[in-house]
Amino acid sequence: MAKILVTGAGGQLGQEIKTLSSQYPQFDFIFADRSELPIDNAELVYAFIQKTQADVCINCAAYTAVDKAESDQDSAYRINGDGPGYLALACRDIGARLIHVSTDYVFDGTSATPLTEDDPTGPINVYGDSKLKGEQQALINYYDGTVIIRTSWVYSEFGNNFVKTMMRLMNERPSINVVDDQIGSPTYAADLAAAILTIVTADSFVPGIYHYSNEGEISWYDFALAIRQHIGSTCTVNPIPSSGFPTPAKRPHYSLLDKSLIKETYNLTIPDWQSSLKTCISRLRP
Ligand SMILES: NC(=O)c1ccc[n+]([C@@H]2O[C@H](COP(=O)([O-])OP(=O)(O)OC[C@H]3O[C@@H](n4cnc5c(N)ncnc54)[C@H](OP(=O)(O)O)[C@@H]3O)[C@@H](O)[C@H]2O)c1
């Protein structure tokens, strides 16, 4: 039975893969959270992967606190930059495939058209730069065995995310402000988890970088309005520019990902953001 190791299993994506795993009885899943497998520890990574002899490693572990990364750069670069490189080396040694997850924040946000895998990167914050280093480390160490999936605006039933924060704030406050000049597309982690398992079960494994998010193009403000509608809230949502909501880390103004390559290569159909948001909210509020 093929073994699939999932790192960062306690996070949003890790938990969505765990939820889906019962639909894949042909695999022996090993879910490792940070305490069991800290991906920034080269020796532990090597020993763990040698011991488990996994056939596929799905790396869901990351330092995802975008603002905190600005002042905690060492942790961000160690986990997001070095970690994927350690995983790639350990996977290469046993011939396991590595599926690593990266971000739209590797781009600078100045594009006016959906970003393809060939577009030039240029991160504008520490998180994005650390994730770009991680991509590079993984590919340098194990080009033939690594698939990297860049994704954006991830939310799910699990952990902390924009959808859950909006649902809470809309219950607590009469009005909220949400930025309307950052454009992209959300990603329901359950959809990304399903896409990753499609890649795992595909007839052929085609290494390289791919883009994945839900279909559609929106701002955070549009997203908030849709959340408001789904939960039937009367909270007023005001559109504001990013300059009205200063954060330690700068965010790209445009980071819509072009998904053509992953759809063609792995024959994927990607749900639109509205239907996935509806699914997630119905699971949060059955
Ligand atoms: N969230 C987003 O909006 C977003 C957007 C674009 C791309 N992505 C990427 O998508 C992937 C999945 O993100 P997510 O939203 O599922 O993130 P998440 O919910 O923050 O989960 C990340 C997990 O990694 C764990 N982790 C942190 N440091 C670790 C280490 N040194 N060793 C092992 N595990 C460690 C965390 O554990 P602790 O909680 O204990 O720290 C957490 O369980 C990541 O690669 C992320 O960069 C996310």
Side-chain angles (χ1 to χ4, degrees), residues 124-146:
I124 57 171
N125 58 40
V126 169
Y127 168 76
D129 194 50
S130 68
K131 293 290 291 183
L132 182 60
K133 296 280 183 309
E135 292 184 2
Q136 292 162 348
Q137 287 304 312
L139 292 176
I140 288 166
N141 289 347
Y142 193 29
Y143 185 80
D144 293 339
T146 300

Side-chain angles (χ1 to χ4, degrees), residues 165-180:
T165 302
M166 286 296 119
M167 288 172 72
R168 179 173 52 77
L169 292 178
M170 286 173 185
N171 262 330
E172 290 170 4
R173 298 185 188 174
S175 73
I176 53 172
N177 299 336
V178 182
V179 297
D180 70 346

